[in-house]
Amino acid sequence: MATEINGWTAPAREVLRVTTSTRIAEVDAGATPGFDGDKQLGSALLEERGARLSALQELLYANGRIGDHRSVLLVLQGMDTAGKGGIVRHVIGHVDPQGVDHAAFGSPTEEELRHHYLWRIEKALPRGGQLGVFDRSHYEDVLVVRVHELVPADVWGARYQEIVDFEDRLVDTGTTVVKVLLAVSKEEQKRRLAQRLRRPDKYWKYDRRDLDERALWPDYEQAYQAVLDRTSTERAPWFVVPCDRKWYARLAVTELLIDALEGLELSWPPAHFDVEAERLRLERS
Ligand code: ATP
């Protein structure tokens, strides 16, 4: 990672990648794995790396314009208050909105419920040259659906392999899938919910149902563990990003996206016209 100011001691993709020994209940959500700088350095670095992300996204977009079908998809999951919205604003906010296909997945509509759960997901997949962002995703169908038993266990139980196969097809057809689980601690969630109840400018974010979900914390931990165990694959791995320190989570996700985009080894599309001839035409105009 060539940066002028750099607090990283190991690449984010290595330290955050889920392994067979990852236990979500044991993740230190306040830690800053692989980064030994403080908030000030992290924030300064975010600006610099955000510019790099933006340049890479423009490359992707430019290639998409000449028919490159490849894309990058960021899948964001996390408990309420984990900061998915902040990632969208402060990380994705660095890039040209024209090049972003953003989709947020809430409770399915009646129409969506009449279809297979991947129907609405397929419709929202990024087009060639786009950076896709899923704020919640098909994983809700093995998270909230499992915790609340919205379908029988054999139905949600079959979905893990179905999701692995689905993502395999995505990778086959040129989508780099970056799956991020934002890990917030239970104490930090309480602080963030308390802030929503203290500040009038945060009331709009407060949802009474968040406390009901909070009471199911161990069930969600178990459901998230199953997701990591059963859907983190070589081709579409999960990354667990501690997010009690928002600045770290934003920096880490930026690095993961830069890494994914650099992996495409893109270069600027060649001119599809005679450059010299066009220069002459312009001069004479
Ligand atoms: P946030 O993601 O920050 O909570 P929000 O409150 O604006 O954003 P909503 O439109 O309320 O978002 O949707 C989020 C809710 O939808 C979550 O409680 C989530 O668990 C639920 N949800 C998402 N997908 C499904 C699904 N497939 N089945 C049932 N509920 C789902």
Side-chain angles (χ1 to χ4, degrees):
M1 225 177 297
T3 49
E4 281 168 21
I5 38 171
N6 193 343
W8 288 98
T9 55
R13 68 169 181 280
E14 283 173 18
V15 287
L16 300 173
R17 191 179 168 135
V18 164
T19 68
T20 49
S21 54
T22 303
R23 292 288 160 266
I24 191 65
E26 287 161 22
V27 168
D28 178 358
T32 61
F35 191 77
D36 67 5
D38 58 7
K39 180 176 179 177
Q40 199 186 357
L41 177 62
S43 304
L45 195 55
L46 180 62
E47 286 316 302
E48 185 195 318
R49 299 299 279 167
R52 172 75 181 141
L53 178 63
S54 170
L56 285 164
Q57 178 273 331
E58 193 180 341
L59 255 182
L60 179 69
Y61 188 77
N63 279 276
R65 291 293 295 266
I66 58 158
D68 193 328
H69 63 282
R70 288 176 298 172
S71 60
V72 171
L73 173 62
L74 173 66
V75 173
L76 289 172
Q77 285 291 157
M79 304 281 226
D80 294 318
T81 75
K84 299 187 299 298
I87 295 289
V88 174
R89 270 193 309 284
H90 297 278
V91 177
I92 305 303
H94 280 105
V95 313
D96 184 343
Q98 277 195 95
V100 176
D101 283 339
H102 174 271
F105 297 97
S107 299
T109 61
E110 274 183 29
E111 188 189 17
E112 285 168 350
L113 282 173
R114 282 197 295 274
H115 289 84
H116 188 269
Y117 69 98
L118 291 175
W119 180 72
R120 64 176 183 165
I121 304 295
E122 302 243 16
K123 281 202 304 176
L125 288 172
R127 296 158 288 163
Q130 295 290 110
L131 171 57
V133 182
F134 280 0
D135 179 342
R136 301 186 188 268
S137 65
H138 42 299
Y139 284 99
E140 291 294 323
D141 292 279
V142 284
L143 290 165
V144 63
V145 168
R146 170 179 167 151
V147 169
H148 289 278
E149 297 176 46
L150 300 179
V151 299
D154 61 321
V155 176
W156 58 254
R159 289 178 176 172
Y160 297 96
Q161 189 56 45
E162 215 166 59
I163 288 173
V164 168
D165 294 340
F166 168 68
E167 291 177 354
D168 225 30
R169 286 199 299 279
L170 282 187
V171 176
D172 278 342
T173 51
T175 300
T176 303
V177 185
V178 181
K179 301 189 291 194
V180 169
L181 167 51
L182 294 171
V184 66
S185 67
K186 205 172 172 197
E187 304 73 53
E188 180 63 18
Q189 185 188 62
K190 194 169 197 171
R191 273 191 288 274
R192 291 181 186 177
L193 288 172
Q195 192 186 51
R196 290 179 187 181
L197 289 172
R198 206 170 45 242
R199 288 178 40 182
D201 62 325
K202 300 274 183 189
Y203 289 167
W204 68 274
K205 283 192 183 183
Y206 189 78
D207 184 337
R208 293 188 66 234
R209 286 169 303 186
D210 289 351
L211 285 191
D212 303 326
E213 297 302 290
R214 179 174 163 78
L216 298 168
W217 192 275
D219 300 333
Y220 272 103
E221 262 179 358
Q222 200 182 16
Y224 269 112
Q225 187 64 46
V227 162
L228 301 184
D229 291 344
R230 301 181 66 179
T231 67
S232 198
T233 62
E234 201 54 48
R235 305 184 80 203
W238 273 103
F239 297 93
V240 174
V241 176
C243 66
D244 280 8
R245 297 173 204 243
K246 291 178 181 172
W247 61 266
Y248 172 80
R250 292 165 188 172
L251 187 59
V253 175
T254 302
E255 291 302 332
L256 295 175
L257 286 175
I258 288 174
D259 194 58
L261 284 157
E262 284 180 343
L264 299 181
E265 297 183 347
L266 296 163
S267 45
W268 292 108
H272 53 280
F273 48 84
D274 181 337
V275 178
E276 263 321 301
E278 291 305 303
R279 278 193 192 131
L280 273 175
R281 276 185 68 210
L282 177 64
E283 240 169 65
R284 291 184 191 134
S285 66

